[in-house]
Amino acid sequence: MMLILTVIAITTVSAYLLGQRIRRRPVAALSTALTGMFECVGACVLFLLANVAVGVSVVLAARSAGWTFASLYAVNDVTLVVLAVLQGLFFRFWWRSSGGASPGA
Amino acid sequence: MNILKWVGVTALSGFLISVTTPLWSYLARPLVVEPSLAHADAIVVLAAGIEPSGSLSSESLRRAVHGLQLFKRGFAPVILLSGPRGRSRAGRSEADARLDLALHWGVPADHIVVVSQGTTTWDETQAIASALSARRASTALLVTSSLHMKRARAVLERRGVTVLPAPSDDYLGVPRSPQQRFFLMLRVLEQGAAYLRYRAAGYI
């Protein structure tokens, strides 16, 4: 755990110094960036929950209709997480760029 | 209030707590059944998946080896190996692959029962209960993962089998690294949801 925290601390401080000294980014913008990061994570989590809910519904519907057998474990796939991240990032930036505020803001 | 922001804050906080503390080891306790090793009429090894190549999944292999060890220690005269064909494209079921393993371990063929039906715990235990009944076996040492044990035992006991739990792992004792804690969280959520679904459906 200490190794991971050390690695994260080194790269985070490096990126901060790079942004402040070389690219002249204002320190005050950090809180905006933090809020943006939380929004991105929130969007990704909501898409993940929606994907899991839809996946479970489809599997159960297919079973009850007798079309085919599909395991519910298929929904527990890391690919779903990665795609939910892409969905979350894409739609969060779209919502921001089109109206200035994300849903629920 | 920005919903996305607060969902993100909650999710990140939950993630950090989950990977840095033993939270999920405590939350998993209601799902875990303590081992109860004693002589039984049969050892039942539940399915856990087979690869498309026909190789046993790591979880399937872990369960099978644990069951074979119990057999070798004389806990039961018969070992029942379960497992459907699943994703295998090699033309053999998980139970067949486990049969090869058992024969390789020197288990006599007439002490092995193979069950290849059932793609869910509910269906699988039905086929197992029928096979046990045909051999007049009423007690079974049940081998499955520790987080799956409570649900599997309840279903098999409902079908008239007296179950002695013999979990093939110790999920709660394993997590030490953040990654292991994260995967424990996923397993607890998965098996917890499955247990609640079986309760809601009236299976247990």
Side-chain angles (χ1 to χ4, degrees):
Chain A
M1 188 66 196
M2 282 308 295
L3 174 66
I4 292 173
L5 290 177
T6 305
V7 169
I8 295 299
I10 290 172
T11 53
T12 302
V13 170
S14 302
Y16 172 76
L17 294 175
L18 192 73
Q20 193 190 26
R21 295 186 181 177
I22 298 176
R23 305 202 60 171
R24 306 287 179 196
R25 298 296 183 206
V27 177
L30 281 176
S31 65
T32 308
L34 195 64
T35 299
M37 181 196 72
F38 285 136
E39 288 181 359
C40 286
V41 172
C44 296
V45 168
L46 290 180
F47 270 106
L48 179 61
L49 293 176
N51 289 341
V52 170
V54 171
V56 168
S57 302
V58 168
V59 168
L60 294 180
R63 280 193 201 172
S64 59
W67 297 332
T68 181
F69 175 80
S71 172
L72 280 171
Y73 291 118
V75 181
N76 184 11
D77 190 311
V78 72
T79 311
L80 207 61
V81 178
V82 175
L83 293 176
V85 167
L86 295 178
Q87 287 176 294
L89 293 175
F90 177 80
F91 281 100
R92 188 267 175 186
F93 285 118
W94 181 51
W95 291 329
R96 274 292 182 202
S97 64
S98 59
S102 53
Chain B
M1 186 178 72
N2 186 334
I3 293 175
L4 286 186
K5 176 184 168 186
W6 290 108
V7 170
V9 169
T10 306
L12 275 179
S13 304
F15 173 78
L16 290 175
I17 291 170
S18 295
V19 300
T20 56
T21 71
L23 171 70
W24 287 94
S25 293
Y26 290 107
L27 293 178
R29 288 191 191 282
L31 285 176
V32 173
V33 181
E34 290 298 315
S36 176
L37 300 184
H39 192 271
D41 296 331
I43 296 164
V44 171
V45 184
L46 294 186
I50 187 167
E51 304 295 338
S53 64
S55 303
L56 294 173
S57 70
S58 57
E59 177 63 31
S60 178
L61 186 62
R62 182 183 298 117
R63 293 183 192 180
V65 168
H66 187 58
L68 290 169
Q69 286 174 331
L70 292 173
F71 180 86
K72 287 287 186 180
R73 289 167 64 189
F75 277 104
V78 172
I79 183 166
L80 186 151
L81 302 168
S82 176
R85 184 168 174 186
R87 297 182 299 163
S88 173
R89 298 196 195 103
R92 64 175 187 168
S93 67
E94 180 182 355
D96 291 333
R98 286 171 156 184
L99 172 65
D100 291 346
L101 184 69
L103 294 173
H104 186 73
W105 270 50
V107 178
D110 57 341
H111 290 254
I112 304 171
V113 178
V114 172
V115 171
S116 300
Q117 294 88 40
T119 43
T120 64
T121 301
W122 177 252
D123 294 338
E124 182 186 16
T125 51
Q126 187 170 32
I128 289 170
S130 298
L132 291 176
S133 177
R135 296 186 72 102
R136 300 183 187 282
S138 60
T139 60
L141 269 165
L142 183 62
V143 179
T144 187
S145 64
S146 53
L147 295 179
H148 182 230
M149 182 61 78
K150 187 170 184 175
R151 180 164 58 107
R153 182 178 75 165
V155 176
L156 198 54
E157 286 188 335
R158 180 175 170 162
R159 301 193 185 284
V161 179
T162 301
V163 173
L164 301 170
S168 56
D169 55 51
D170 176 19
Y171 262 110
L172 305 192
V174 168
R176 289 287 180 272
S177 70
Q179 180 175 272
Q180 288 167 338
R181 290 189 177 119
F182 181 72
F183 283 114
L184 174 65
M185 178 188 75
L186 294 182
R187 288 285 293 161
V188 172
L189 288 174
E190 174 189 280
Q191 290 301 325
Y195 184 81
L196 292 177
R197 178 174 131 63
Y198 269 48
R199 287 286 297 267
Y203 291 168
I204 53 179

